[in-house]
């Protein structure tokens, strides 16, 4: 059986036009960890029947190429139920729901997914959920939204809809969403789910690299994207480099040597190493090893 990349090791989450067959067929070549069949904003209502009809064959192809398969349906009081009735036949790994502003939105999605799992002979509980936070009301309830369903493996923060709801002016530096991104990761971390950062919606490679570096500094390990060309950049930034792993190894060695001598901390390269620094270095090493192992298994 194909090895499924665990959600905490999914770095790049790529949204794809739901009815664009050319884009969908070449999506896995981007290298994105998660491919999201987007049936909401990227798919006009007139094209949704076509998009739904592509699901089963498309998802099987994506799985064969090592990607985690996700779909974003429409809000359930709009076209979402029709979306689910069709795409659940393709057994997506993750179902994302847009415009989640209240915990009960997730409750209803969980109930619908459970029903379709039973109807289609899918192992109950095997489909994960990814609420999308796109309004101020949702942002301040992210923690409650994240723990509403055991199926929820992460939450994803939007950029354009959230900025519009705030009345903020968009800029490629992302300054207008700085507080929202900081709060969002705190809420997700406290709830124990993956925080998927908002996409960088400009085309320049330098900009997406800069934006992802800033997200990583805040603590993000996952980022959504809307351009397949950005996947390699995001994966590169969110994967510990050899130099970073080497430095983390030096920190671990220096701290453990100090502890062996009965010292509480030690200086290395002008920095005082204490328990949090040591713990972070160990986590970085563990993440780097896990990413390399899963990358090998997915490619095999």
């Amino acid at each position: 059986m194909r090895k499924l990349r665990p959600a905490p090791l999914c770095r790049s989450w790529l949204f794809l036009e739901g009815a664009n067959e050319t884009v969908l067929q070449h999506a896995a070549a981007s290298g994105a960890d998660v491919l999201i069949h987007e049936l909401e904003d990227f798919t006009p209502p007139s094209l949704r029947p076509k998009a739904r009809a592509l699901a089963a064959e498309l998802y099987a192809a994506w799985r064969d190429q090592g990607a985690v398969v996700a779909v974003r349906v429409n809000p359930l009081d709009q076209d979402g139920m029709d979306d689910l009735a069709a795409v659940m036949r393709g057994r997506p790994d993750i179902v994302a729901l847009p415009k989640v502003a209240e915990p009960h939105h997730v409750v209803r999605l969980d109930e619908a997914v459970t029903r379709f799992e039973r109807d289609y002979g899918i192992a109950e509980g095997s489909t994960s959920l990814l609420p999308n936070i796109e309004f101020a009301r949702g942002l301040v309830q992210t923690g409650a939204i994240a723990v509403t369903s055991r199926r929820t493996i992460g939450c994803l923060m939007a950029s354009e809809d959230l900025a519009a709801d705030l009345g903020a002016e968009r800029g490629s530096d992302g300054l207008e969403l700085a507080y929202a991104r900081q709060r969002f990761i705190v809420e997700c971390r406290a709830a124990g789910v993956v925080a998927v950062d908002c996409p960088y919606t400009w085309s320049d490679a330098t900009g997406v690299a800069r934006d992802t570096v800033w997200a990583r500094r805040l603590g993000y390990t996952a980022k959504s994207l809307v351009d397949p060309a950005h996947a390699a950049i995001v994966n590169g930034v969110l994967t510990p480099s050899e130099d970073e792993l080497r430095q983390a190894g030096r920190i671990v060695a220096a701290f453990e040597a100090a502890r062996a001598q009965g010292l509480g901390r030690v200086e290395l390269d002008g920095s005082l190493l204490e328990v949090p620094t040591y713990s972070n270095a160990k986590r970085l090493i563990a993440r780097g090893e896990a990413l390399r192992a899963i990358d090998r298994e997915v490619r095999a």
Side-chain angles (χ1 to χ4, degrees), residues 10-165:
C10 291
R11 301 154 295 188
S12 47
W13 301 60
L14 175 61
F15 285 101
L16 297 148
E17 299 171 61
N20 190 327
E21 293 184 68
T22 300
V23 167
L24 296 171
Q25 289 169 2
H26 293 90
S30 69
D33 295 333
V34 184
L35 301 179
I36 306 173
H37 189 207
E38 156 63 327
L39 303 184
E40 194 213 9
D41 289 347
F42 287 11
T43 306
S46 62
L47 293 178
R48 285 172 190 162
K50 175 185 177 181
R52 295 171 190 141
L54 297 173
E57 186 174 338
L58 175 66
Y59 298 174
W62 283 354
R63 283 195 184 88
D64 288 344
Q65 295 174 84
V68 175
V69 176
V71 58
R72 182 162 78 170
V73 300
N74 284 275
L76 299 187
D77 57 357
Q78 298 177 22
D79 286 350
M81 285 299 187
D82 290 338
D83 292 338
L84 282 173
V87 302
M88 284 298 292
R89 295 184 184 277
R91 302 173 181 246
D93 301 312
I94 301 168
V95 173
L97 183 69
K99 298 177 173 57
V100 175
E102 306 286 348
H104 70 77
H105 293 158
V106 180
V107 172
R108 190 178 176 202
L109 178 64
D110 188 323
E111 292 171 348
V113 167
T114 299
R115 184 169 65 254
F116 285 117
E117 284 179 338
R118 291 171 180 166
D119 290 348
Y120 299 157
I122 301 170
E124 190 168 332
S126 61
T127 310
S128 298
L129 305 183
L130 182 75
N132 288 192
I133 307 301
E134 306 189 40
F135 302 129
R137 178 66 179 168
L139 179 64
V140 300
Q141 297 196 92
T142 297
I145 288 167
V147 299
T148 296
S149 169
R150 292 183 179 180
R151 294 178 181 272
T152 299
I153 46 85
C155 292
L156 183 149
M157 196 184 90
S159 53
E160 306 310 311
D161 282 292
L162 181 57
D165 190 46

Side-chain angles (χ1 to χ4, degrees), residues 51-288:
R52 295 171 190 141
L54 297 173
E57 186 174 338
L58 175 66
Y59 298 174
W62 283 354
R63 283 195 184 88
D64 288 344
Q65 295 174 84
V68 175
V69 176
V71 58
R72 182 162 78 170
V73 300
N74 284 275
L76 299 187
D77 57 357
Q78 298 177 22
D79 286 350
M81 285 299 187
D82 290 338
D83 292 338
L84 282 173
V87 302
M88 284 298 292
R89 295 184 184 277
R91 302 173 181 246
D93 301 312
I94 301 168
V95 173
L97 183 69
K99 298 177 173 57
V100 175
E102 306 286 348
H104 70 77
H105 293 158
V106 180
V107 172
R108 190 178 176 202
L109 178 64
D110 188 323
E111 292 171 348
V113 167
T114 299
R115 184 169 65 254
F116 285 117
E117 284 179 338
R118 291 171 180 166
D119 290 348
Y120 299 157
I122 301 170
E124 190 168 332
S126 61
T127 310
S128 298
L129 305 183
L130 182 75
N132 288 192
I133 307 301
E134 306 189 40
F135 302 129
R137 178 66 179 168
L139 179 64
V140 300
Q141 297 196 92
T142 297
I145 288 167
V147 299
T148 296
S149 169
R150 292 183 179 180
R151 294 178 181 272
T152 299
I153 46 85
C155 292
L156 183 149
M157 196 184 90
S159 53
E160 306 310 311
D161 282 292
L162 181 57
D165 190 46
L166 295 173
E169 298 179 3
R170 288 291 278 139
S172 59
D173 61 3
L175 181 61
E176 70 285 352
L177 294 178
Y179 167 74
R181 292 167 76 182
Q182 291 170 325
R183 174 162 183 163
F184 183 71
I185 190 169
V186 171
E187 297 274 352
C188 289
R189 188 60 54 84
V193 301
V194 175
V196 183
D197 189 32
C198 58
Y200 180 81
T201 54
W202 286 264
S203 60
D204 62 301
T206 301
V208 72
R210 180 184 63 246
D211 193 62
T212 309
V213 167
W214 190 78
R216 176 177 167 172
R217 186 172 182 184
L218 293 180
Y220 283 96
T221 59
K223 187 171 182 62
S224 59
L225 46 152
V226 295
D227 186 340
H230 291 171
I233 298 169
V234 169
N235 284 349
V237 173
L238 297 181
T239 302
S241 69
E242 293 300 330
D243 285 345
E244 290 167 334
L245 292 172
R246 191 175 303 111
Q247 178 62 12
R250 292 182 66 227
I251 290 171
V252 169
F255 187 85
E256 290 181 349
R259 275 297 173 90
Q261 298 174 32
L263 303 175
R265 60 183 183 175
V266 65
E267 183 176 329
L268 179 67
D269 301 332
S271 296
L272 289 174
L273 308 183
E274 299 180 358
V275 172
T277 310
Y278 168 71
S279 298
N280 279 338
K282 292 188 70 175
R283 278 195 291 268
L284 183 74
I285 292 170
R287 179 170 178 79

